[in-house]
Amino acid sequence: RLEAGAFIMGTTHETGRWENEGPQHTVALTRTIEMQVHEVTQEQWQQAFDSQPSQHIACGKDCPVDSVNWYEAIHYANWLSQSEGLEVCYTLSGCDESCIGCGQVCQDVDFKGLDCQGYRLPTEAEWEYGARAGTHTAYYNGHASNENKSTTCAQDESLDNIGWYCANSNGATQAVASLLPNSWGLFDMSGNVQEWVWDRYGSYSSRATTDPMGTSQGHMRVARGGAWDYISAGCRAAYREALPPETTNNATGFRLVRTVSY
């Protein structure tokens, strides 16, 4: 449970940052949400759909589902809402539903909004709010110890205890919740698989915002958190990546949230 609150989103001077992480700005979130404590697993996915999209099948049922595109993450959110008798948050149109988990895309997705009581993808701001858990550092357990932002994999002692990344993952995803959570009880907010969020990709503004949901224009969506094959700088709380929503790869999965008060 993440209570409503405010935080400073993005970075300005952090070691290893990319330009798209700034400018820093104040974000107020006015709704209390519940966030899944770990990424959706292969077992959870297979309970919903007769498909196995994950390329890391050998990792097992407790490992995060990967190779699910943005539209398919939306489908899972609707399925979970329906299975629990909750309001469905998305209306999808123009979809081929022959195999959800085989790279399905849709022509349009209509979102009921943040007051919807069913399951949904977090907004980018909600995701970072959860990842930071009240902290202001590169990771929720402190500053980055590896200051080299390069394409070379290097160990970061700060990240080793909380996230699976290129230096400790043995070249694959790992079971969820097997490293230390943040102070709000959330696991794998750094590494393992990066996570789809609702927002279209766009530039930040320095202006303070309330309940942002991203730009209304553009095709690219945002993934957050870095993954098993990322360098440490790509697993920081502020790191953001733009991906076409039809993308499927073995480094991308998701977790869901649900509004519980507003």
Side-chain angles (χ1 to χ4, degrees), residues 46-215:
Q46 290 189 290
Q47 288 173 349
F49 305 117
D50 186 22
S51 65
Q52 171 52 280
S54 297
Q55 297 181 45
H56 297 284
I57 299 174
C59 185
K61 64 183 179 66
D62 294 327
C63 295
V65 66
D66 65 78
S67 304
V68 173
N69 71 31
W70 183 86
Y71 299 104
E72 293 170 327
I74 294 289
H75 265 285
Y76 180 85
N78 276 357
W79 174 86
L80 190 59
S81 296
Q82 290 174 322
S83 70
E84 296 189 11
L86 298 171
E87 179 183 10
V88 171
C89 293
Y90 303 104
T91 302
L92 297 87
S93 58
C95 307
D96 171 16
E97 300 191 18
S98 59
C99 179
I100 302 170
C102 301
Q104 179 198 122
V105 298
C106 302
Q107 292 179 356
D108 190 45
V109 177
D110 182 50
F111 177 37
K112 289 185 179 179
L114 299 177
D115 290 338
C116 178
Q117 297 289 288
Y119 290 99
R120 58 181 176 83
L121 290 176
T123 65
E124 187 173 13
E126 288 171 335
W127 188 95
E128 187 170 327
Y129 183 60
R132 291 190 176 281
T135 66
H136 304 280
T137 49
Y139 314 118
Y140 52 73
N141 66 338
H143 294 286
S145 59
N146 170 22
E147 297 186 357
N148 179 28
K149 189 189 81 173
S150 71
T151 57
T152 301
C153 183
Q155 185 178 12
D156 188 317
E157 293 179 358
S158 295
L159 184 56
D160 282 345
N161 292 325
I162 65 169
W164 298 110
Y165 69 115
C166 64
N168 69 354
S169 69
N170 295 316
T173 56
Q174 301 293 326
V176 299
S178 52
L179 295 174
L180 298 177
N182 67 18
S183 62
W184 291 356
L186 302 173
F187 294 87
D188 297 304
M189 299 298 283
S190 294
N192 220 358
V193 290
Q194 65 177 353
E195 301 172 18
W196 288 114
V197 297
W198 164 256
D199 303 41
R200 288 182 173 89
Y201 176 79
S203 299
Y204 286 164
S205 167
S206 60
R207 295 190 301 271
T209 60
T210 299
D211 297 323
M213 294 176 59
T215 179

Side-chain angles (χ1 to χ4, degrees), residues 7-11 20-21 25 39 122-132 138 188-199 201-202 204 221-227 230 234-243 251-255:
F7 75 110
I8 304 298
M9 186 170 181
T11 61
N20 69 349
E21 297 172 10
H25 53 289
E39 296 147 337
T123 65
E124 187 173 13
E126 288 171 335
W127 188 95
E128 187 170 327
Y129 183 60
R132 291 190 176 281
D188 297 304
M189 299 298 283
S190 294
N192 220 358
V193 290
Q194 65 177 353
E195 301 172 18
W196 288 114
V197 297
W198 164 256
D199 303 41
Y201 176 79
Y204 286 164
R221 297 283 173 167
V222 179
R224 299 296 300 259
Y230 279 46
C235 296
R236 294 171 302 108
Y239 178 77
R240 55 201 303 257
E241 185 164 332
L243 291 175
T252 306
F254 66 103
R255 78 177 73 209

